[in-house]
Amino acid sequence: MLYRTKNIALRDGTNAVFRSPEAADAREMNEFLKKCFSETDYLIRYPEEWTQTEESEARFLEDVNASQHTLMIVCTIDGVIAGNCSLMFMQGRKREHRASIALGILKKYWGLGIGSAMISEMIRIAGERGILQLELDYIEGNERACGLYEKMGFVHVGEKPDAIRLKDGTMLKEYSMVRKL
């Protein structure tokens, strides 16, 4: 699903561009994801687990853009990918009223309002599509994300104990949140 490019003014006055990723972004997207994974334990992978080749990532991005069930938005600042988010529409009559979201932002760009702007866009798009419930998960200890999600109207609905196991053996919960539209 394609996203119409939009300029966003961030908290510090910086201009950000929200747009659909392109196959030509594949190398930079791989680098962005590996860096995101290396900057926090609160994402679902370690950087060494991201093994997409440039070619497979390019195909994936093309497939996302052609899909009617997934939307991806990248945030660029001065032409560099600073963040991305995705909105995945569930399929099947019993679940088509739901969609899930995910996002990642490079640490350098935390606190500028990118996350709030991305979630606002996903809420808007989901509402236009007739979605009644947005869903997301986050990992125990990620208080920044929890605060953002609560600010955007998400509420806690459950937790999965010991859902995440870090390299040092630490076990963390995964929390589930929803937002009614």
Side-chain angles (χ1 to χ4, degrees), residues 12 15-16 58 66 111 148 161 175 178 180:
D12 68 351
N15 182 58
L148 170 62
Y175 295 104
V178 299
K180 300 289 186 178

PDB file of all heavy atoms in Angstrom, residues 12 15-16 58 66 111 148 161 175 178 180:
ATOM      1  N   ASP A  12      11.815  20.445  17.039  1.00  0.00           N
ATOM      2  CA  ASP A  12      12.943  21.380  16.993  1.00  0.00           C
ATOM      3  C   ASP A  12      12.954  22.224  15.725  1.00  0.00           C
ATOM      4  O   ASP A  12      13.904  22.945  15.459  1.00  0.00           O
ATOM      5  CB  ASP A  12      14.268  20.627  17.143  1.00  0.00           C
ATOM      6  CG  ASP A  12      14.589  19.742  15.957  1.00  0.00           C
ATOM      7  OD1 ASP A  12      13.717  19.560  15.071  1.00  0.00           O
ATOM      8  OD2 ASP A  12      15.723  19.217  15.901  1.00  0.00           O
ATOM      9  N   ASN A  15      12.637  19.756   9.362  1.00  0.00           N
ATOM     10  CA  ASN A  15      11.652  19.218   8.432  1.00  0.00           C
ATOM     11  C   ASN A  15      11.927  17.730   8.227  1.00  0.00           C
ATOM     12  O   ASN A  15      13.055  17.328   7.965  1.00  0.00           O
ATOM     13  CB  ASN A  15      11.725  19.933   7.081  1.00  0.00           C
ATOM     14  CG  ASN A  15      10.674  19.412   6.120  1.00  0.00           C
ATOM     15  OD1 ASN A  15       9.489  19.454   6.405  1.00  0.00           O
ATOM     16  ND2 ASN A  15      11.119  18.913   4.980  1.00  0.00           N
ATOM     17  N   ALA A  16      10.894  16.921   8.378  1.00  0.00           N
ATOM     18  CA  ALA A  16      10.978  15.488   8.111  1.00  0.00           C
ATOM     19  C   ALA A  16      10.030  15.175   6.965  1.00  0.00           C
ATOM     20  O   ALA A  16       9.011  15.842   6.786  1.00  0.00           O
ATOM     21  CB  ALA A  16      10.591  14.694   9.352  1.00  0.00           C
ATOM     22  N   ALA A  58      14.845  -5.258  -1.098  1.00  0.00           N
ATOM     23  CA  ALA A  58      14.220  -4.520  -2.201  1.00  0.00           C
ATOM     24  C   ALA A  58      12.918  -5.201  -2.625  1.00  0.00           C
ATOM     25  O   ALA A  58      11.898  -4.534  -2.825  1.00  0.00           O
ATOM     26  CB  ALA A  58      15.177  -4.407  -3.383  1.00  0.00           C
ATOM     27  N   ALA A  66       2.973  -2.952  -2.894  1.00  0.00           N
ATOM     28  CA  ALA A  66       1.933  -3.534  -3.743  1.00  0.00           C
ATOM     29  C   ALA A  66       0.797  -4.151  -2.926  1.00  0.00           C
ATOM     30  O   ALA A  66      -0.284  -4.401  -3.455  1.00  0.00           O
ATOM     31  CB  ALA A  66       2.541  -4.597  -4.661  1.00  0.00           C
ATOM     32  N   GLY A 111      12.707  11.890  20.739  1.00  0.00           N
ATOM     33  CA  GLY A 111      12.259  13.116  21.401  1.00  0.00           C
ATOM     34  C   GLY A 111      11.899  14.253  20.475  1.00  0.00           C
ATOM     35  O   GLY A 111      11.573  15.344  20.947  1.00  0.00           O
ATOM     36  N   LEU A 148       4.594   7.012  25.182  1.00  0.00           N
ATOM     37  CA  LEU A 148       4.115   7.463  23.876  1.00  0.00           C
ATOM     38  C   LEU A 148       2.779   6.802  23.537  1.00  0.00           C
ATOM     39  O   LEU A 148       1.822   7.472  23.154  1.00  0.00           O
ATOM     40  CB  LEU A 148       5.151   7.133  22.794  1.00  0.00           C
ATOM     41  CG  LEU A 148       4.700   7.315  21.350  1.00  0.00           C
ATOM     42  CD1 LEU A 148       4.345   8.775  21.056  1.00  0.00           C
ATOM     43  CD2 LEU A 148       5.778   6.805  20.397  1.00  0.00           C
ATOM     44  N   PRO A 161       4.334 -13.271  30.018  1.00  0.00           N
ATOM     45  CA  PRO A 161       5.524 -13.397  30.870  1.00  0.00           C
ATOM     46  C   PRO A 161       6.653 -14.113  30.130  1.00  0.00           C
ATOM     47  O   PRO A 161       6.409 -14.995  29.312  1.00  0.00           O
ATOM     48  CB  PRO A 161       5.036 -14.218  32.064  1.00  0.00           C
ATOM     49  CG  PRO A 161       3.818 -14.920  31.590  1.00  0.00           C
ATOM     50  CD  PRO A 161       3.225 -14.081  30.492  1.00  0.00           C
ATOM     51  N   TYR A 175       4.188  -6.635  26.667  1.00  0.00           N
ATOM     52  CA  TYR A 175       2.886  -6.065  26.991  1.00  0.00           C
ATOM     53  C   TYR A 175       2.106  -5.807  25.702  1.00  0.00           C
ATOM     54  O   TYR A 175       2.666  -5.359  24.700  1.00  0.00           O
ATOM     55  CB  TYR A 175       3.041  -4.756  27.740  1.00  0.00           C
ATOM     56  CG  TYR A 175       3.683  -4.919  29.101  1.00  0.00           C
ATOM     57  CD1 TYR A 175       5.013  -4.559  29.308  1.00  0.00           C
ATOM     58  CD2 TYR A 175       2.968  -5.450  30.157  1.00  0.00           C
ATOM     59  CE1 TYR A 175       5.602  -4.708  30.564  1.00  0.00           C
ATOM     60  CE2 TYR A 175       3.553  -5.608  31.416  1.00  0.00           C
ATOM     61  CZ  TYR A 175       4.871  -5.233  31.603  1.00  0.00           C
ATOM     62  OH  TYR A 175       5.462  -5.387  32.833  1.00  0.00           O
ATOM     63  N   VAL A 178      -4.099  -1.794  23.123  1.00  0.00           N
ATOM     64  CA  VAL A 178      -5.032  -1.545  22.042  1.00  0.00           C
ATOM     65  C   VAL A 178      -5.526  -0.100  22.124  1.00  0.00           C
ATOM     66  O   VAL A 178      -5.486   0.533  23.183  1.00  0.00           O
ATOM     67  CB  VAL A 178      -6.261  -2.494  22.056  1.00  0.00           C
ATOM     68  CG1 VAL A 178      -5.830  -3.948  21.909  1.00  0.00           C
ATOM     69  CG2 VAL A 178      -7.102  -2.304  23.271  1.00  0.00           C
ATOM     70  N   LYS A 180      -9.027   1.830  20.645  1.00  0.00           N
ATOM     71  CA  LYS A 180     -10.279   1.781  19.897  1.00  0.00           C
ATOM     72  C   LYS A 180     -10.368   3.031  19.020  1.00  0.00           C
ATOM     73  O   LYS A 180      -9.980   4.122  19.426  1.00  0.00           O
ATOM     74  CB  LYS A 180     -11.479   1.742  20.845  1.00  0.00           C
ATOM     75  CG  LYS A 180     -11.501   0.534  21.778  1.00  0.00           C
ATOM     76  CD  LYS A 180     -11.803  -0.726  21.035  1.00  0.00           C
ATOM     77  CE  LYS A 180     -11.955  -1.884  22.022  1.00  0.00           C
ATOM     78  NZ  LYS A 180     -12.285  -3.115  21.342  1.00  0.00           N
TER      79      LYS A 180
END
